[in-house]
Structures are given as C-alpha cells and as structure tokens.
C-alpha cells in the first residue's frame, strides 16, 4: 500500500533417508531418519509521516526428527529417538529520523523456544525458554566526515535465569571521495549449543557465552569496484567446557 509493505513467506519440507549395511555377525544393520519441518514468516515495514519508519515481524518454525535403528544383537536393539524443536519469534523496530543523516533506532524481540527428546530406553526430557531483548542505537554525524554509531542491547533468558547488557560503538571517518576507515567494538552474548545434552549429562545448563569484538576496516570504492582490508580481534569469555565438570570458564 501507500504506507507500507506486507510480506508472507512459508514452506514445508519432508525428507526420509535410510540404509542397510552388513553386520559383523552376518546380519544387517538398518538406520533411518525421517524429517518434517515447517517455517512461516510475516513482516510489515512502512513510514509514519516523514520522520518515522516502523518494522514488525513474526515467524514460527517447527522441526520433527525420528531417528531409527533396526539391528538386534547384544546391547544394540531396535530403537527410535524422537527429536522435536520449535521457535516462535516476534520483533519490532522503530526509527526516528532527525534531518537527513542523524537517526535514532530502537526496538525489541521475544522468542519462545522448545526442545524435546523422547526414547524408550532413556525416557523423555524437554526444555523451554522465554527470551526477550531490547536495543537502542543512534547514527550521529559529528562532522561531515566523521560518523559514530552508539548502541546497547539488553537480553534476558528465563531458562538461563540471566540478564546481560551489551554496549557497542563504531566510528567511521571519510578520507576522500571513495575511501574511509572504520572501527567497531562491542559485546555479543549467545546461549550454548546442546543444552538438552548438558542437562542430561551434567544435571545443569551453562549460562550465556560472551565474545568481545574489535574490528578495524579500510575500504576504497572506485568505478563500481571495491577494495577492502579488515582486521579483527575477538576475546571470548564464559565458553562452555566439559573438563571434569560443566562450567562457563
């Protein structure tokens, strides 16, 4: 329409693969994976007057996996592992323009995720997480050649029972008509992988992991050609380790 654009995208996939292989005792070992997954995404973006831009989005995905074996000898028995996971996400972003160059951007998101595991021998277990985040950042032109982006992000996970705040800053200086230097620094947090496994094996779930980024960049553009050189340094903290015990160290 005249005030915005509405988009929808979705798909459904089904897959199945398996094989039979000779076993040491002369029999056959069978393995099969059945998978179904669905994804949907709805988004809207538009302008409110001359100084506001709004964006909204929502998505849902779900994945089903059945992993089966069909060999019966010793400790290896016919069995099926059922894995289920889903993610529902809602996000909104608002941008306020101040003149032609300077802007203020803020927004938030909410995610609800589930991970389920079921097996006849090992039982069933599940994880659920309510995750929420909010951010604010500004593009501020200090001079006609120097621009800075200041921002911060706050995020909370009910599953991890932790809240983190991530400051971030970037600077760009224009040297001439086609080249510039830029520098960026910031904290970035994420949840660890294999949370179901960690809880089953160690009886606990690790917290957020942190990466601290330093990025220096030079870029030159001439006649539709781009030359770019970039160097970075990343410092990690609270990574998941499994030496003797499960820790964020």
């Amino acid at each position: 329409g005249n005030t915005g654009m509405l988009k929808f995208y979705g798909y459904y996939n089904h897959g199945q693969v398996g094989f039979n292989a000779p076993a040491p005792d002369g029999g056959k070992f069978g393995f099969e994976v059945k998978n179904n997954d669905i994804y949907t995404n709805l988004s809207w973006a538009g302008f409110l007057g001359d100084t506001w831009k709004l964006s909204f989005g929502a998505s849902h995905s779900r994945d089903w996996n059945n992993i089966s074996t069909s060999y019966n000898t010793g400790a290896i028995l016919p069995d099926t592992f059922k894995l289920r996971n889903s993610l529902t996400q809602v996000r909104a972003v608002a941008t306020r323009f101040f003149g032609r160059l300077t802007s203020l951007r803020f927004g938030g998101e909410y995610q609800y995720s589930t991970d389920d595991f079921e097996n006849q021998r090992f039982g069933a277990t599940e994880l659920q997480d309510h995750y929420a985040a909010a951010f604010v950042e500004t593009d501020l032109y200090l001079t006609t050649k120097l621009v800075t982006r200041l921002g911060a992000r706050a995020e909370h996970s009910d599953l991890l029972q932790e809240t983190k705040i991530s400051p971030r800053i970037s600077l760009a200086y224009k040297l001439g008509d086609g080249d510039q230097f830029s520098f960026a620094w910031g904290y970035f947090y994420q949840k660890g992988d294999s949370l179901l496994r960690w809880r089953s094996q160690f009886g606990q779930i690790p917290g957020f992991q942190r990466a601290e980024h330093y990025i220096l960049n030079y870029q030159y553009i001439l006649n539709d050609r781009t030359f770019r050189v970039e160097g970075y340094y990343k410092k990690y903290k609270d990574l998941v380790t499994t030496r003797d015990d499960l820790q964020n160290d």
Side-chain angles (χ1 to χ4, degrees):
N2 296 329
T3 59
M5 178 178 292
L6 182 68
K7 295 181 180 180
F8 174 80
Y9 173 75
Y11 69 80
Y12 169 80
N13 282 331
H14 169 76
Q16 182 174 345
V17 63
F19 66 85
N20 291 318
D25 63 354
K28 288 185 178 180
F29 172 76
F31 181 83
E32 183 183 55
V33 177
K34 294 181 180 179
N35 169 265
N36 295 277
D37 65 270
I38 186 172
Y39 174 80
T40 58
N41 183 297
L42 180 67
S43 63
W44 178 87
F47 288 89
L48 186 63
D50 296 329
T51 57
W52 285 94
K53 180 181 179 181
L54 305 178
S55 301
F56 300 95
S59 66
H60 176 76
S61 62
R62 187 165 184 83
D63 189 61
W64 299 263
N65 286 284
N66 288 350
I67 304 174
S68 305
T69 61
S70 59
Y71 188 55
N72 190 356
T73 182
I76 304 178
L77 302 175
D79 208 350
T80 299
F81 298 86
K82 296 181 179 180
L83 305 174
R84 310 283 187 266
N85 58 71
S86 68
L87 175 64
T88 301
Q89 182 177 12
V90 180
R91 177 180 296 179
V93 178
T95 304
R96 174 66 161 88
F97 298 100
F98 299 91
R100 189 170 60 90
L101 301 176
T102 300
S103 63
L104 174 68
R105 190 162 35 254
F106 57 92
E109 67 176 299
Y110 166 78
Q111 297 179 9
Y112 174 68
S113 60
T114 65
D115 287 283
D116 304 322
F117 170 84
E118 183 180 347
N119 176 260
Q120 291 182 356
R121 296 178 60 192
F122 300 103
T125 184
E126 65 177 4
L127 291 178
Q128 298 180 0
D129 189 21
H130 296 272
Y131 169 89
F135 80 94
V136 59
E137 64 182 23
T138 179
D139 293 332
L140 181 62
Y141 277 78
L142 303 178
T143 69
T144 56
K145 292 187 175 183
L146 179 63
V147 60
T148 181
R149 173 174 290 180
L150 303 174
R153 178 183 177 90
E155 48 198 313
H156 172 81
S157 168
D158 279 357
L159 178 64
L160 306 185
Q161 296 184 346
E162 287 187 349
T163 300
K164 297 295 184 180
I165 297 178
S166 309
R168 297 169 187 175
I169 182 173
S170 63
L171 295 166
Y173 183 77
K174 188 175 181 181
L175 299 173
D177 292 336
D179 57 343
Q180 69 172 32
F181 272 110
S182 63
F183 170 79
W185 169 87
Y187 284 167
F188 297 84
Y189 289 93
Q190 70 176 31
K191 294 186 291 184
D193 297 326
S194 305
L195 297 183
L196 271 174
R197 173 190 172 189
W198 302 139
R199 190 176 72 172
S200 300
Q201 185 174 352
F202 296 96
Q204 64 184 35
I205 294 175
F208 279 111
Q209 302 173 91
R210 192 185 82 183
E212 184 177 2
H213 292 200
Y214 298 83
I215 302 174
L216 183 63
N217 177 285
Y218 170 77
Q219 178 176 281
Y220 181 69
I221 300 176
L222 179 66
N223 297 329
D224 297 327
R225 289 174 172 82
T226 301
F227 173 77
R228 181 183 297 113
V229 178
E230 184 172 280
Y232 66 88
Y233 171 76
K234 295 183 180 181
K235 183 179 180 181
Y236 297 98
K237 184 180 180 182
D238 300 328
L239 295 183
V240 176
T241 61
T242 57
R243 185 179 61 251
D244 301 325
D245 196 4
L246 182 68
Q247 299 181 25
N248 280 102
D249 62 359

